[in-house]
Amino acid sequence: MKNTPTDSLIAALAANAKPVTPATSIALMWLTGLGIALAGSLVVVAGMGFRIDIQHQLAQPGFLLTITLLVASACTWGWATARLAAPRWPLANDVLASMAAGALAWGFMMVPDMLASDSHSLMETATDVSTHTCAMIVTFMTFPTTLVFLAAFRHAMPSSPRMMMAAATASGASFSMLAITMLCARNDAAHIVVGHIIPALLLTLAAVLVGRHYLRW
Amino acid sequence: MNQRDQWQTWMQAAQQGDQLAYAKLLKDVCPYLRNYLRPRLSQQDMVEDVVQEVLLAIHTARHTWNPEEPLMPWLHGIIRYKLADGLRSIYRKNQNEVVDTDMLVTLSVAVPNKDAEGTNMDMDTMLATLTPRQRDIVRMTKLEGHTAEETGQKLGMSSSAVKVALHRILQTLKDQFGPRT
């Protein structure tokens, strides 16, 4: 680099300055990512078959609240991904707020199950879905949904690549948890924590590690 | 109009292809970058490298700046990212210094020690295993004392490429001829 004096570099860069279209379509990219990931998740659920008690659950406020929290977390993590796709420091308040909202939504996800009056009776009617099967489904569904987000932001130049990768993975994992909530009839807290939440958390943490290499520019 | 507003105006013009405004912006940003980077980089010879990296990054990422948003957070996002890269490169280089020192000791012992002939590897033998270009890099930087920049200029490479190549060469020589553990 030092061979080229900075002034020559500036002259070369200025000579190559063609008009560019400023990236103002963050919301559009965000909606595209969300739409494709949601559609993909629903296709997987429809293909594998909804949980046996889906009719009953759809009438339960707790179940609906869980679904709402998962959709909200997918949206907020997705928004954080969209905003992190361009360089910026310090992070904008809406990025911090959306990440905090996504984390809170994950944190509160267990509350409806704990409060639900028929949790224990549902445990008895649990299907033969084992915890590790759910963990595998969450893991393998998170990859394509995360890739959808990353594809939507394929021209991203994040100044915090680890954070962007984690946000994209958390959004993908939220869709996976949404799908598994529609698939798996087991409502016991231990199963949900070990089979649904921990795999999503581990994948998000793994994304922090690989983010810098994957999103390098 | 203050400096920041001026930069913002120039950047907007640059996004529309105004080369003059773009050149003014990049020139005006340079002293700011140097002042910002100097206290943050322990190796002062790296400052200009990082300044140039930031300028290149501004060029590559100029479409990601939204004209409706302030320029400085966007610029600082790029500076922070490239500064982190620069610091990583310094840490890597410092780690590599250990390897370089070992190799220099091996080389300096191997050349003049006639008594050790047959037990110490002759430097020419070691260099013979390298390609002509690799030999030139080792000869110029380690034997003739040229800097990476001077070597790069003579061989038509950037100084970074010379440093990376030299590290790899020394590592290869160490693997081949260094003491077995």
Side-chain angles (χ1 to χ4, degrees):
Chain A
M1 290 293 301
K2 255 191 165 176
N3 302 345
T4 318
T6 305
D7 286 343
S8 311
L9 177 69
I10 290 171
L13 293 178
N16 283 320
K18 296 192 175 81
V20 288
T21 311
T24 50
S25 55
I26 286 175
L28 183 66
M29 288 192 286
W30 173 65
L31 285 172
T32 310
L34 283 182
I36 297 173
L38 182 62
S41 305
L42 290 177
V43 166
V44 170
V45 173
M48 294 179 79
F50 285 93
R51 56 195 284 175
I52 50 171
D53 60 345
I54 189 74
Q55 301 269 350
H56 170 75
Q57 288 294 335
L58 285 173
Q60 302 295 318
F63 181 78
L64 294 175
L65 181 59
T66 303
I67 297 292
T68 308
L69 285 171
L70 284 170
V71 172
S73 69
C75 292
T76 52
W77 284 120
W79 180 253
T81 310
R83 296 283 282 132
L84 288 165
R88 192 188 163 98
W89 192 260
L91 294 177
N93 289 337
D94 66 311
V95 177
L96 296 170
S98 54
M99 290 174 82
L104 273 178
W106 276 16
F108 282 113
M109 222 175 59
M110 285 302 301
V111 174
D113 288 313
M114 289 174 179
L115 296 179
S117 56
D118 59 350
S119 286
H120 294 290
S121 63
L122 282 170
M123 268 176 69
E124 290 160 12
T125 60
T127 60
D128 58 352
V129 177
S130 61
T131 300
H132 74 267
T133 306
C134 284
M136 295 282 276
I137 292 172
V138 169
T139 303
F140 284 108
M141 271 195 68
T142 299
F143 286 112
T145 43
T146 303
L147 285 177
V148 162
F149 264 94
L150 293 176
F153 303 107
R154 62 193 174 283
H155 301 304
M157 291 178 169
S159 51
S160 310
R162 290 172 190 273
M163 229 182 262
M164 182 184 165
M165 191 72 178
T169 308
S171 186
S174 297
F175 279 113
S176 306
M177 285 197 280
L178 178 66
I180 203 71
T181 306
M182 301 275 202
L183 287 168
C184 169
R186 288 183 64 175
N187 277 9
D188 51 303
H191 170 78
I192 290 174
V193 169
V194 177
H196 300 189
I197 298 175
I198 287 182
L201 279 173
L202 288 178
L203 287 168
T204 305
L205 288 175
V208 174
L209 296 178
V210 301
R212 186 164 68 79
H213 304 284
Y214 190 85
L215 295 172
R216 192 177 174 79
W217 56 282
Chain B
M1 190 183 278
N2 68 27
Q3 189 190 44
R4 308 277 163 99
D5 292 338
Q6 183 66 69
W7 287 358
Q8 192 137 342
T9 312
W10 281 338
M11 189 63 187
Q12 280 173 357
Q15 283 187 329
Q16 289 160 12
D18 184 338
Q19 299 182 349
L20 196 64
Y22 191 42
K24 277 184 192 167
L25 170 75
L26 297 181
K27 267 192 184 154
D28 217 36
V29 158
C30 279
Y32 176 81
L33 292 177
R34 289 189 191 105
N35 287 339
Y36 183 86
L37 293 170
R38 242 175 235 132
R40 288 170 174 83
L41 283 167
S42 57
Q43 292 185 7
Q44 293 304 301
D45 58 334
M46 286 286 294
V47 171
E48 207 55 29
D49 278 354
V50 178
V51 167
Q52 290 182 12
E53 289 290 343
V54 172
L55 294 177
L56 280 170
I58 289 173
H59 184 75
T60 318
R62 67 193 193 281
H63 67 282
T64 62
W65 177 61
N66 183 349
E68 289 164 18
E69 294 193 355
L71 180 72
M72 290 314 283
W74 177 83
L75 183 61
H76 271 272
I78 292 176
I79 298 172
R80 184 175 168 272
Y81 183 72
K82 290 298 169 188
L83 175 62
D85 266 356
L87 288 171
R88 260 183 231 114
S89 131
I90 289 175
Y91 295 144
R92 256 199 314 269
K93 207 166 126 189
N94 287 346
Q95 281 176 336
N96 295 341
E97 290 300 327
V98 177
V99 177
D100 288 1
T101 313
D102 287 352
M103 199 58 217
L104 277 173
V105 170
T106 311
L107 289 171
S108 63
V109 168
V111 180
N113 192 354
K114 294 280 180 190
D115 297 338
E117 216 166 298
T119 54
N120 278 346
M121 182 61 64
D122 186 272
M123 189 171 63
D124 288 338
T125 313
M126 282 199 279
L127 293 180
T129 63
L130 303 173
T131 63
R133 193 171 186 80
Q134 288 176 327
R135 256 199 306 276
D136 285 343
I137 292 172
V138 174
R139 184 174 48 76
M140 291 178 72
T141 53
K142 294 296 178 194
L143 303 180
E144 295 173 5
H146 292 288
T147 63
E149 287 76 26
E150 290 164 349
T151 308
Q153 269 174 350
K154 286 198 178 160
L155 298 178
M157 301 166 75
S158 69
S159 63
S160 313
V162 171
K163 287 173 194 166
V164 171
L166 180 64
H167 167 61
R168 286 184 184 150
I169 296 164
L170 294 179
Q171 191 62 51
T172 309
L173 288 176
K174 197 183 174 205
D175 290 344
Q176 277 185 319
F177 303 111
R180 300 273 179 259
T181 51

